[in-house]
Amino acid sequence: MRKIVVHEPGSHDKLRVEEHPDPSPARGEVLLDVRAAGVNYADCVVRMGLYESAKKYVGWPITPGFEFSGTVAALGEGVTDLALGAPVFGVTRFGGYASRVAVPRHQVFPLPARLTPEEAAGFPAVFMTAYYALFELVRLRPAMSLLVHSAAGGVGSALVQLGKIAGCRVVGVVGAAHKVEAARRLGADAVIDKSSEPLWAAAERLAPEGYDVILDANGVETLRQSYRHVASAGKLVVYGFHTMLPRQGGRPSYPKLAVDFLRMPRFNPLDLCNDNKSVLAFNLSYLFHRTEILREAMDRLIGWVEEGRLSAPPVKTFPLERAGEAHRAIESGSTVGKLVLTL
């Protein structure tokens, strides 16, 4: 089989296509012929050597990739409810940039009729991240106000749609004019283009009392102000730190990382109580073993897709051999929707 292998941390040139023996499915696993694999910003962080769960579960060398679509190639002992050749999609704790991958049965789902294989490959990681943020960490109520950073990106576009399904008022934040219409099409009630207007002045104008939920993957650039703009009894949900990492070059600046670490806001429990606010954070890659969470999330998400209430983000594809180009594109911050590798 072919797969991308990263032998040591570094820039885009560390993504190498190699030939390896096919994996064999263990008991309770499914072997997949991969047709497409989703690209996430986290994959770039893995390549740079800064992703903690990658260090914990794999080390070097490593094959990035959290999500895929394809067909069932073989079944491990004990798996009897899937047919060979069946179209499926799912998640994997690393290893997705490969023509074959073996994963536990509970991480594989039937391909929805409304999604192409390429759309499906870019669906689960972002929508499960958004689902966990909004429906596990937060109890949404109709008419709540949500502020979604990076609202035209992968997770951001999922957050906007799920927020609207829950009956919330959603304000999206984007970083360029060409992303405004994309966020509006997803259902955002208002869109702030921070490249053309002051972000926080606009946010205050749209929600003078603050926001019930703010969802932030930017890191130090916006976290402090995000917390300040959370309403009383509101929640700040943190799921990434993108602004701490480079937009060009593919290598982290360790002096910048050190400065940003020192600038990172610290949330004192006493202040949280007195402010009557909550700060919540998570990393989806630590949750793949939680069968009940994955099943509930994907059952509801697939149901909403089949009902036409959720749509996959627009997809731009790259062949596996051009994974470095996909990483450059997603790191630039200029993309809309999802990037997907095709095999």
Side-chain angles (χ1 to χ4, degrees), residues 327-341:
H327 277 215
R328 286 188 190 92
I330 200 168
E331 288 169 25
S332 74
S334 63
T335 59
V336 173
K338 282 300 298 269
L339 307 183
V340 170
L341 302 178

Side-chain angles (χ1 to χ4, degrees), residues 97-278:
Y97 291 13
S99 60
R100 283 198 156 184
V101 62
V103 301
R105 169 65 184 89
H106 74 271
Q107 294 173 206
V108 179
F109 308 93
L111 184 75
R114 286 178 175 264
L115 298 183
T116 67
E118 291 75 23
E119 289 172 335
F123 184 91
V126 294
F127 274 93
M128 283 201 293
T129 297
Y131 183 93
Y132 187 81
L134 293 180
F135 294 96
E136 290 285 342
L137 298 186
V138 176
R139 181 180 179 183
L140 291 181
R141 298 177 186 274
M144 276 186 167
S145 59
L146 277 55
L147 182 72
V148 177
H149 289 281
S150 304
V155 178
S157 65
L159 288 166
V160 171
Q161 292 186 74
L162 292 178
K164 295 308 298 178
I165 284 176
C168 297
R169 176 175 178 264
V170 179
V171 176
V173 180
V174 298
H178 72 278
K179 299 184 178 185
V180 172
E181 186 55 36
R184 285 183 177 146
R185 283 196 303 269
L186 293 166
D189 297 283
V191 181
I192 302 170
D193 176 7
K194 63 183 181 181
S195 72
S196 62
E197 61 180 323
L199 165 57
W200 297 111
E204 289 171 13
R205 184 183 71 252
L206 293 166
E209 302 298 319
Y211 294 84
D212 297 299
V213 186
I214 296 183
L215 301 121
D216 193 330
N218 290 331
V220 69
E221 179 181 286
T222 54
L223 273 180
R224 195 178 303 277
Q225 286 292 334
S226 286
Y227 179 78
R228 288 176 180 169
H229 288 80
V230 171
S232 178
K235 298 175 175 66
L236 169 60
V237 181
V238 182
Y239 61 96
F241 303 90
H242 294 175
T243 62
M244 298 175 69
L245 296 169
R247 289 204 168 195
Q248 293 181 336
R251 296 177 183 272
S253 165
Y254 288 99
K256 181 181 185 304
L257 283 174
V259 170
D260 284 350
F261 180 79
L262 294 174
R263 293 173 56 219
M264 187 72 66
R266 271 61 173 174
F267 299 104
N268 186 302
L270 291 173
D271 293 334
L272 293 173
C273 289
N274 289 328
D275 293 341
N276 198 31
K277 300 178 182 181
S278 301

Side-chain angles (χ1 to χ4, degrees), residues 39-50:
V39 177
N40 294 281
Y41 192 86
D43 303 339
C44 304
V45 186
V46 170
R47 189 202 72 237
M48 295 177 201
L50 300 174

